[in-house]
């Protein structure tokens, strides 16, 4: 499938970008809960993150490559475990590090979208009990306030928490003694965590707005594209609500909402129905389904209403087949274009992910537009990076 080159519904200022998350690319995030988990045999994590892509030191190179490819936007996260390694101790050096990243992005013509929390927390916060602990919301809000020097100027978009629904699902798993990243379909989220992260988000929105009211603040929701088997429409709606809708509804009044989707999940009268045995699957075992993002956008828009713009903040495929990666992006962008043509206010498309990175337990799920050579950390853009970056260049920047 190819995107019709004559089709250009993407509005001016559309975000053409790629996304990453600190823990997945920086390396040696030793004060985080994930680092500890990765080194706990009981957690049965396939492999630890260790040096990851060494982006903590090589972020300039990452940004150089993205800008050269033609991208205009870069979403990255700042790491709470580095910024506040001990409770109440805020590292001026780490804050300066992330400020340099913001300035480095701007200098290269990349608009920075900064995520304040992407799954990982400092170990001291985990020891306290995480988001459901007493005072947790205030502690998160204080961390956000301390990020002021990073985001106060030149950052058009801030995401408070990435995929709060996955945080609640993972908390539910942990309470049942299971670890790791949940399968598509998703176990029931922990309700206490749901309430806590929604409160944390609202407090963070307030804090960001008090830092600079011009910052567009929102959060990003994992959308599983639950599709009802005929007759199971009500079951599907009930299944979806605590896993997704409650988090979309909590974004009412935000400046934008992030849509993140990869595949679909069929729901029958008894719950999730696995994809047929002969369905094409990606390296994460998810069904190959590039149309997912279109369903995710339409569902989100319907729920949040016309006043909140949408940004696709993650979408992509784990594959070793580079033609299939391009096919996936072309199919997905076709779906995004159709949503815009139907009048939905979609403001951007950020691919997941800029780099092959640490996919929460494994390096084998290669989502990257750019390959990273193990050991040397050399960056090598893949064909999809040139294809997608080219779209950014052609459709966004004036031709010379
Ligand atoms: C999302 C996460 C991101 C990455 C992709 C594949 O759920 O936000 O960190 O793991 O899935």
């Amino acid at each position: 499938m190819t995107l019709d080159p004559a089709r250009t519904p993407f509005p001016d200022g559309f975000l053409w970008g790629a996304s990453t998350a600190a823990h997945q690319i920086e390396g040696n995030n030793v004060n985080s809960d994930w680092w500890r988990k990765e080194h706990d045999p009981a957690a049965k994590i396939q492999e630890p993150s260790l040096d990851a892509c060494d982006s903590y030191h090589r972020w300039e190179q990452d940004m150089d490559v993205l800008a050269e490819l033609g991208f205009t936007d870069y979403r990255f996260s700042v790491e709470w475990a580095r910024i506040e390694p001990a409770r109440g101790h805020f590292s001026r050096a780490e804050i300066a590090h992330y400020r340099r990243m913001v300035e480095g992005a701007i200098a290269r013509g990349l608009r920075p979208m900064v995520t304040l929390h992407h799954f990982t927390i400092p170990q001291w916060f985990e020891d306290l009990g995480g988001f459901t602990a007493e005072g947790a919301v205030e502690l998160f809000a204080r961390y956000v306030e301390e990020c002021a020097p990073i985001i106060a100027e030149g950052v058009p978009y801030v995401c408070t928490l990435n995929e709060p629904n996955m945080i609640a699902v993972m908390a539910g798993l942990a309470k049942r003694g299971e670890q790791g990243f949940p399968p598509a379909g998703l176990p029931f989220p922990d309700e206490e965590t749901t309430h806590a992260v929604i409160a944390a988000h609202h407090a963070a929105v307030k804090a960001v707005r008090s830092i600079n009211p011009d910052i567009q603040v929102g959060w990003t929701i994992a959308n599983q594209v639950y599709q009802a088997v005929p007759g199971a429409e009500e079951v599907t709606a009930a299944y979806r609500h605590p896993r997704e809708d409650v988090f979309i509804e909590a974004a009412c009044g935000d400046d934008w909402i992030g849509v993140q989707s990869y595949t679909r999940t069929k729901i029958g009268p008894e719950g999730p129905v696995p994809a047929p045995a002969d369905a094409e699957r990606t390296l994460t075992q998810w069904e190959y389904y590039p149309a997912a993002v279109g369903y995710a956008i339409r569902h989100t828009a319907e729920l949040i209403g016309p006043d909140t713009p949408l940004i696709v903040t993650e979408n992509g495929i784990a594959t070793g087949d580079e033609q299939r990666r391009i096919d996936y992006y072309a199919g997905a962008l076709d779906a995004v274009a159709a949503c815009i043509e139907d009048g939905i206010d979609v403001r951007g498309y950020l691919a997941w992910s800029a780099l092959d990175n640490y996919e929460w337990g494994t390096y084998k799920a290669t989502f990257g537009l750019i390959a990273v050579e193990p050991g040397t950390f050399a960056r090598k853009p893949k064909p999809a990076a040139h294809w997608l970056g080219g779209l950014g260049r052609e459709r966004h920047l004036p031709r010379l």
Side-chain angles (χ1 to χ4, degrees):
M1 194 187 289
T2 50
L3 187 73
D4 176 357
R7 207 161 169 206
T8 52
F10 304 100
D12 271 0
F14 194 76
L15 284 71
W16 288 102
S19 296
T20 57
H23 186 75
Q24 293 177 270
I25 62 165
E26 284 183 343
N28 300 297
N29 187 18
V30 299
N31 284 314
S32 68
D33 61 331
W34 261 84
W35 183 271
R36 178 156 64 187
K37 211 195 317 261
E38 290 163 20
H39 296 276
D40 171 6
K44 299 201 182 78
I45 303 258
Q46 269 184 54
E47 52 181 328
S49 56
L50 303 175
D51 285 328
C53 310
D54 192 28
S55 286
Y56 185 80
H57 302 106
R58 294 168 200 260
W59 61 267
E60 291 181 280
Q61 211 184 321
D62 297 341
M63 292 185 191
D64 282 343
V65 177
L66 287 172
E68 274 161 27
L69 285 164
F71 291 100
T72 54
D73 294 82
Y74 181 39
R75 171 179 178 233
F76 59 90
S77 73
V78 297
E79 184 56 56
W80 187 4
R82 291 188 196 271
I83 293 173
E84 192 179 0
R87 183 175 174 168
H89 170 78
F90 293 91
S91 163
R92 295 297 129 201
E94 297 292 1
I95 289 170
H97 166 84
Y98 289 118
R99 180 63 203 170
R100 281 195 296 276
M101 284 186 70
V102 164
E103 287 173 4
I106 297 167
R108 289 165 177 81
L110 292 168
R111 285 174 296 198
M113 175 187 279
V114 175
T115 302
L116 299 169
H117 177 276
H118 195 123
F119 291 158
T120 43
I121 50 177
Q123 285 172 12
W124 63 262
F125 188 72
E126 183 183 44
D127 293 341
L128 212 68
F131 279 104
T132 53
E134 217 189 304
V137 169
E138 291 72 22
L139 287 167
F140 183 65
R142 181 174 67 171
Y143 153 67
V144 175
E145 283 159 16
E146 293 287 335
C147 288
I150 304 170
I151 60 172
E153 276 168 50
V155 178
Y157 297 96
V158 165
C159 164
T160 59
L161 295 116
N162 177 70
E163 296 191 349
N165 46 341
M166 298 301 276
I167 301 174
V169 164
M170 286 190 271
L173 275 180
K175 275 196 180 167
R176 293 190 288 275
E178 297 163 45
Q179 298 274 5
F181 216 66
L186 296 184
F188 198 79
D190 177 55
E191 284 181 301
E192 220 190 322
T193 304
T194 296
H195 294 136
V197 289
I198 289 174
H201 170 61
H202 289 151
V205 167
K206 224 170 130 195
V208 170
R209 286 187 175 149
S210 71
I211 292 169
N212 180 348
D214 292 337
I215 297 173
Q216 307 283 297
V217 60
W219 68 352
T220 58
I221 311 302
N223 191 301
Q224 301 297 323
V225 184
Y226 295 112
Q227 292 181 344
V229 162
E233 286 76 12
E234 273 180 34
V235 179
T236 305
Y239 196 87
R240 184 194 288 122
H241 192 266
R243 291 172 173 81
E244 209 163 287
D245 296 357
V246 78
F247 299 92
I248 298 174
E249 284 159 6
C252 248
D254 291 359
D255 300 310
W256 57 277
I257 181 164
V259 176
Q260 314 202 147
S261 85
Y262 293 89
T263 188
R264 66 173 161 186
T265 306
K266 292 230 175 199
I267 303 289
E270 312 298 330
V273 180
D278 61 351
E280 181 179 346
R281 286 173 190 274
T282 67
L283 290 175
T284 42
Q285 294 310 311
W286 301 340
E287 183 188 355
Y288 174 89
Y289 190 61
V293 69
Y295 288 87
I297 289 171
R298 287 172 199 278
H299 177 69
T300 307
E302 196 181 295
L303 216 61
I304 195 109
D307 297 335
T308 312
L310 277 60
I311 302 173
V312 176
T313 36
E314 285 185 23
N315 181 237
I317 175 173
T319 183
D321 179 336
E322 297 315 320
Q323 184 53 47
R324 230 40 201 138
R325 191 185 312 279
I326 294 182
D327 293 345
Y328 184 93
Y329 280 120
L333 280 166
D334 240 2
V336 175
C339 290
I340 297 172
E341 284 158 355
D342 288 344
I344 302 177
D345 187 2
V346 185
R347 302 265 173 103
Y349 181 88
L350 293 102
W352 183 271
S353 178
L355 304 168
D356 280 342
N357 62 40
Y358 183 65
E359 182 50 38
W360 309 110
T362 178
Y363 281 104
K364 294 197 179 71
T366 43
F367 277 98
L369 291 169
I370 301 163
V372 178
E373 194 179 83
T376 69
F377 307 103
R379 271 69 169 149
K380 288 204 185 92
K382 302 177 189 178
H386 293 285
W387 185 84
L388 208 51
L391 283 181
R393 194 189 306 281
E394 281 166 31
R395 306 218 171 168
H396 188 86
L397 301 175
R399 281 174 201 277
L400 294 176

